[in-house]
Amino acid sequence: MKYLLLIPLFFLYNCTLEKNTTQPMAKKLATTLYYHNDTIIDNYHWMRLSDKQKEALNPDEQTQQVIDYLNSENRYLESQMAETNSFQQILYDEFVVRIKQDDESLPISYNGYTYYSKYEEGQDYQRHYRKANSEGADEELLLDLPEMAKDHVYFRLGDKSISENNRYMAYSTDVVSRRQYSIYVKDLETGELLEDKIENATGGITWANDNNTFFYTKKDEQTLRSNKIYKHVLGTDASLDELVYEETDEKFSCFIYKTKSRRFLVIGSSQTLSTEYRFLDANTPNGKWTIIQPRERHLEYWVSHFEDHFYILTNWQAKNFRLMKTPIDKTTKNHWQEVIPHRDNVLIQDIDIFKNHYVLKERKDGLDFLRVKSWNGDSDYYIEFNDPAYSLFSSTNLEFDTEVFRFAYTSLTTPSSVYDYNLLSKERILLKQDEVLGGEFEVENYASERLFAISRDGSTQIPISIVFRKNFKKDGNQPLLLYGYGSYGASLSPYFSSVRLSLLDRGFAFAIAHIRGGEEMGRQWYENGKLLQKKNTFYDFIDCGNFLVNENYTSSEHLYAQGGSAGGLLMGAVVNMAPDLWNGVIAEVPFVDVINTMWDESIPLTTGEFDEWGNPKNKDYYDYIKSYSPYDNIQPMAYPNMLVTTGYWDSQVQYWEPAKWVAKLREYKTDDNLLILQCNMDVGHGGASGRFKRLHENALKYAFLFKLEGITE
């Protein structure tokens, strides 16, 4: 690929705002890009800045031009949404009043201590505590996050990990929002912060059993790929840390963890289609690592430990995965023995191991299930649930020698609820359900349904989860927000949101489209929505929208769509393919410049994505990606109203993708519909940190929808 700059830099943009109401129109700077036998003119390529440019104390000319343009978009958004400012404050106040502000987490017992955290009223962040499991033990403050965060616009705690002797705590923080963490160590006996400090880590920390050594992962400084695992000894300079593993294949990332038995350290390497693990006795951190099963293309497996075997979830000769076991001293796949066989209609997602039982998380017909089996074979049963659609999550289960399994449950009408479940007696105890304060929420006022749309080929049923107030009229005149993702095999299980009540109580329905590219209906559901079948993801979402219109849940004048990241790609594709179906679209941190990003391997995380989207340097993949890439398929036509969000420090989807996309949409679109871009100059991919700050973002998105519906209170 070559670049040919045709226009001087000082003509980059022209965005003079007249009372902040004139649309910013980015000046075009033609950059010629050569891909295969294809020549592309990218008029907005100039918006891309390097990390060094963004981090420089004194911006160069190009950087200042980009910042000025992004700020002009922010001012335009403010002008267009100014009439909703008081309404946004009302919405924000509604969100806040529903939150139990002085909340405390459930206690977690581990290695002789109980750990928990507390929110205080008005605080964005928690304080973390522990208490010894002995009578009269004092409460210890581990981390005071409100104090740690007070001088930072953005703050996030990554991991906190306690040494086996309970004396040292290593923890990690990110204050930039690029998921590059700094690791610190605190002596819990003295309360002192040690001099040990490690920069540019992934945030995860794993202690060996000697109480003096921990392992961590570092990132490539340019691509941000997790590629090196180091061993740190307390009291030594981090620059002297030993590199114990380097992942040299640019398509793979690496990580490290300790088995629940606390006996082994495990290093994993993974990419979309392949994994590889090696292990080491946690008591001998200077020992030699042993590979379990060498990597093979299309072979995925995950490793747990119990007694003298490793238990392995794998897709080896099992598309929906099966459970195997293998002796610790004979770990290659020719020694694997089947424990739970493969089933065509059941996807095995996870395993949690205890002394007498293990619990499998499975998925069938788009729903989560928990299967309990005893090691001795005496029991094998499923925990039952009643909602038409719901989400299940294994909660924090750190203890091995217990009959109690903790899990979380939620549905579109049920707030997140945490249960302790006795695996022997089958007794289920509700420990905590998120409180919805304010006095207005009554679960009986809401209804949820599970629907199935038929794909355009007539052969595939696409699940839809939907919630609305019971007075919702299915007459085609009600507003509906349809949410989707559909990538990486990520399943969108239905969940409760107290924030969403502000939408439902004003007449909206909210629906989740469980489209191909996710894994809701098994592994094949994912395979049929990636690479050269990626368009199924977009078609499914459009078909769900048409189904909801045809069934009179809404109409195209009142139908809205929302998705973020890869779901933002979904939004970009469907507005090109079916622009008349939506009245408005919210595209959050959207991955929309697919060709340019996937071609450039210097961009963070690109190489690990080839097996998801395809490598465009292969002509077949290039042609297919180009046929749906949102940025490359903008046409002179009418587009729906659109709110696009991004973060200047985003390392997952760089800010310039949505910025370029909006600029090109302004150039081409033939309508007068609203097109606004919010670029948060202080954050990255996950948006604002802190439980209250992010609620302002929700208020803006809802105000955008209500503005289009003419709802003003």
Side-chain angles (χ1 to χ4, degrees):
M1 181 174 61
K2 303 175 183 177
Y3 300 99
L4 180 62
L5 302 183
L6 303 178
I7 302 177
L9 186 63
F10 61 87
F11 285 120
L12 283 177
Y13 84 105
N14 174 20
C15 55
T16 303
L17 295 180
E18 192 173 307
K19 295 183 180 180
N20 290 336
T21 59
T22 303
Q23 293 187 75
M25 297 299 293
K27 202 76 172 185
K28 294 187 287 186
L29 169 61
T31 302
T32 303
L33 307 172
Y34 299 98
Y35 298 121
H36 299 291
N37 58 350
D38 204 1
T39 300
I40 294 177
I41 305 297
D42 187 352
N43 289 320
Y44 305 105
H45 188 82
W46 63 269
M47 292 186 185
R48 175 180 171 177
L49 300 175
S50 68
D51 286 345
K52 288 184 178 179
Q53 286 177 293
K54 290 196 294 181
E55 293 166 359
L57 295 178
N58 297 309
D60 61 22
E61 184 180 6
Q62 181 189 2
T63 304
Q64 192 59 56
Q65 296 278 5
V66 170
I67 291 173
D68 288 346
Y69 174 72
L70 295 175
N71 284 333
S72 74
E73 286 285 3
N74 285 334
R75 290 194 300 272
Y76 179 65
L77 177 143
E78 291 169 2
S79 72
Q80 296 303 299
M81 296 299 292
E83 66 188 278
T84 72
N85 285 346
S86 59
F87 193 13
Q88 288 186 52
Q89 185 61 47
I90 290 171
L91 291 169
Y92 174 80
D93 292 341
E94 284 182 13
F95 303 158
V96 171
V97 79
R98 297 188 188 115
I99 297 173
K100 181 175 171 56
Q101 294 198 32
D102 54 344
D103 201 9
E104 183 172 332
S105 71
L106 287 170
I108 298 167
S109 181
Y110 181 72
N111 198 23
Y113 280 80
T114 296
Y115 294 85
Y116 52 97
S117 59
K118 299 178 185 178
Y119 276 114
E120 293 184 4
E121 188 165 347
Q123 293 285 4
D124 265 311
Y125 303 96
Q126 302 161 302
R127 291 185 172 90
H128 292 262
Y129 300 88
R130 76 172 182 178
K131 185 183 291 187
N133 295 339
S134 57
E135 188 174 349
D138 294 330
E139 181 178 78
E140 301 176 43
L141 176 62
L142 300 179
L143 292 171
D144 187 346
L145 298 190
E147 178 66 22
M148 295 165 65
K150 69 179 184 180
D151 295 326
H152 301 287
V153 175
Y154 179 92
F155 178 86
R156 186 173 296 277
L157 176 68
D159 188 17
K160 66 178 191 301
S161 182
I162 310 293
S163 61
E164 288 291 327
N165 64 359
N166 293 310
R167 176 172 178 176
Y168 298 106
M169 176 181 64
Y171 66 92
S172 58
T173 61
D174 173 15
V175 296
V176 178
S177 190
R178 279 183 67 77
R179 303 186 184 183
Q180 292 170 283
Y181 290 84
S182 298
I183 296 175
Y184 305 88
V185 181
K186 184 177 180 180
D187 186 333
L188 299 179
E189 287 188 2
T190 66
E192 295 177 346
L193 203 62
L194 304 186
E195 293 184 2
D196 306 63
K197 183 181 178 182
I198 297 159
E199 303 281 7
N200 189 35
T202 62
I205 303 149
T206 303
W207 286 91
N209 290 346
D210 67 348
N211 303 303
N212 197 47
T213 308
F214 66 80
F215 296 80
Y216 62 92
T217 310
K218 296 201 78 168
K219 297 184 177 185
D220 181 281
E221 292 191 2
Q222 180 174 1
T223 66
L224 301 186
R225 181 174 65 94
S226 306
N227 66 333
K228 294 179 180 179
I229 294 175
Y230 287 88
K231 177 175 60 182
H232 179 75
V233 178
L234 294 185
T236 63
D237 192 306
S239 64
L240 303 176
D241 288 353
E242 178 185 347
L243 175 65
V244 298
Y245 179 74
E246 181 174 7
E247 181 50 71
T248 57
D249 189 326
E250 293 183 349
K251 296 185 294 297
F252 281 75
S253 296
C254 60
F255 52 92
I256 184 168
Y257 64 94
K258 187 187 290 186
T259 59
K260 186 173 180 177
S261 65
R262 291 147 66 179
R263 181 175 165 185
F264 294 107
L265 302 168
V266 181
I267 289 176
S269 288
S270 68
Q271 54 103 249
T272 305
L273 297 177
S274 178
T275 57
E276 178 182 77
Y277 291 86
R278 59 199 73 220
F279 69 97
L280 175 69
D281 190 318
N283 294 311
T284 59
N286 298 320
K288 182 180 179 181
W289 295 81
T290 302
I291 290 180
I292 292 177
Q293 162 61 39
R295 67 188 63 178
E296 295 179 9
R297 181 85 169 161
H298 300 293
L299 173 61
E300 299 175 68
Y301 67 99
W302 289 269
V303 178
S304 301
H305 168 248
F306 178 69
E307 293 185 345
D308 55 355
H309 285 79
F310 287 122
Y311 282 76
I312 295 172
L313 282 179
T314 180
N315 70 341
W316 180 42
Q317 299 176 350
K319 184 175 286 291
N320 278 333
F321 290 81
R322 56 179 169 160
L323 180 63
M324 315 286 280
K325 70 176 183 178
T326 192
I328 290 170
D329 59 348
K330 297 177 180 179
T331 61
T332 53
K333 69 179 184 180
N334 56 302
H335 297 290
W336 294 0
Q337 303 168 4
E338 188 172 82
V339 180
I340 302 292
H342 172 263
R343 288 155 291 171
D344 289 335
N345 63 340
V346 178
L347 173 69
I348 303 178
Q349 297 178 295
D350 200 3
I351 183 172
D352 213 330
I353 287 176
F354 299 89
K355 181 179 180 180
N356 297 315
H357 297 81
Y358 59 97
V359 181
L360 295 171
K361 184 180 179 185
E362 301 180 344
R363 182 174 282 272
K364 180 181 179 182
D365 297 330
L367 294 176
D368 292 326
F369 294 90
L370 293 174
R371 182 182 183 183
V372 179
K373 285 183 66 69
S374 61
W375 293 110
N376 63 15
D378 287 347
S379 63
D380 182 356
Y381 63 90
Y382 286 88
I383 304 174
E384 295 183 356
F385 304 94
N386 297 319
D387 281 310
Y390 54 84
S391 297
L392 286 173
F393 306 96
S394 174
S395 188
T396 306
N397 290 284
L398 301 179
E399 294 287 4
F400 170 74
D401 188 3
T402 179
E403 298 295 349
V404 177
F405 169 64
R406 182 171 292 181
F407 68 88
Y409 174 88
T410 182
S411 74
L412 290 169
T413 58
T414 306
S416 180
S417 309
V418 180
Y419 293 87
D420 269 356
Y421 185 87
N422 190 293
L423 301 171
L424 280 176
S425 69
K426 303 183 182 180
E427 181 184 13
R428 183 185 317 192
I429 300 174
L430 176 62
L431 299 179
K432 181 179 181 179
Q433 185 175 80
D434 284 353
E435 295 183 51
V436 182
L437 304 182
E440 296 183 2
F441 172 69
E442 298 289 344
V443 66
E444 57 268 19
N445 292 332
Y446 303 87
S448 68
E449 296 177 354
R450 193 160 182 258
L451 311 171
F452 289 89
I454 304 300
S455 65
R456 61 191 59 201
D457 60 14
S459 62
T460 303
Q461 290 189 319
I462 311 156
I464 302 172
S465 302
I466 187 169
V467 63
F468 41 77
R469 283 189 70 95
K470 287 185 176 177
N471 60 1
F472 182 85
K473 296 179 181 179
K474 300 174 187 177
D475 60 4
N477 296 316
Q478 306 304 308
L480 186 150
L481 176 61
L482 182 63
Y483 186 83
Y485 188 75
S487 292
Y488 303 106
S491 299
L492 286 183
S493 297
Y495 62 96
F496 181 84
S497 166
S498 65
V499 169
R500 190 188 300 138
L501 296 175
S502 293
L503 200 67
L504 304 181
D505 290 347
R506 289 176 172 84
F508 268 77
F510 174 81
I512 301 171
H514 303 287
I515 52 184
R516 281 175 284 186
E519 218 166 46
E520 284 90 337
M521 303 294 282
R523 189 68 172 181
Q524 193 62 49
W525 200 250
Y526 170 44
E527 301 287 348
N528 289 342
K530 62 184 289 195
L531 297 175
L532 297 177
Q533 298 187 78
K534 187 61 200 172
K535 288 183 184 178
N536 284 334
T537 300
F538 316 136
Y539 295 149
D540 284 359
F541 193 81
I542 294 168
D543 292 343
C544 286
N546 281 321
F547 170 84
L548 292 166
V549 169
N550 293 336
E551 294 296 315
N552 285 327
Y553 283 86
T554 189
S555 64
S556 58
E557 291 79 18
H558 300 287
L559 178 59
Y560 302 89
Q562 181 180 8
S565 195
L569 164 63
L570 171 67
M571 297 298 102
V574 301
V575 296
N576 283 332
M577 294 177 175
D580 296 334
L581 184 57
W582 328 96
N583 188 41
V585 170
I586 300 174
E588 302 163 285
V589 291
F591 172 42
V592 285
D593 191 12
V594 187
I595 287 290
N596 288 326
T597 291
M598 293 305 299
W599 190 282
D600 188 346
E601 297 178 22
S602 71
I603 293 176
L605 310 179
T606 292
T607 55
E609 302 283 296
F610 288 152
D611 287 316
E612 181 71 27
W613 314 101
N615 186 344
K617 291 175 184 176
N618 176 308
K619 184 65 162 54
D620 290 339
Y621 284 120
Y622 174 82
D623 290 340
Y624 189 78
I625 294 171
K626 190 182 177 186
S627 72
Y628 69 74
S629 173
Y631 184 67
D632 297 289
N633 284 277
I634 295 172
Q635 300 294 325
M637 62 182 180
Y639 282 87
N641 298 283
M642 297 175 66
L643 167 62
V644 182
T645 70
T646 187
Y648 186 60
W649 297 100
D650 195 336
S651 59
Q652 274 35 59
V653 178
Q654 307 285 334
Y655 73 88
W656 63 75
E657 292 200 37
K660 289 171 55 179
W661 185 48
V662 167
K664 189 173 180 181
L665 281 168
R666 289 200 197 287
E667 177 187 355
Y668 277 81
K669 74 190 194 80
T670 59
D671 57 85
D672 295 323
N673 289 332
L674 190 60
L675 173 60
I676 47 180
L677 170 68
Q678 181 201 43
C679 181
N680 190 323
M681 303 302 290
D682 298 315
V683 307
H685 198 64
S689 62
R691 59 174 176 164
F692 295 119
K693 290 180 182 178
R694 65 184 62 201
L695 295 179
H696 288 291
E697 299 176 349
N698 291 108
L700 172 65
K701 294 166 191 172
Y702 280 12
F704 170 76
L705 298 174
F706 293 143
K707 175 183 172 76
L708 299 179
E709 279 295 310
I711 298 172
T712 58
E713 59 183 11

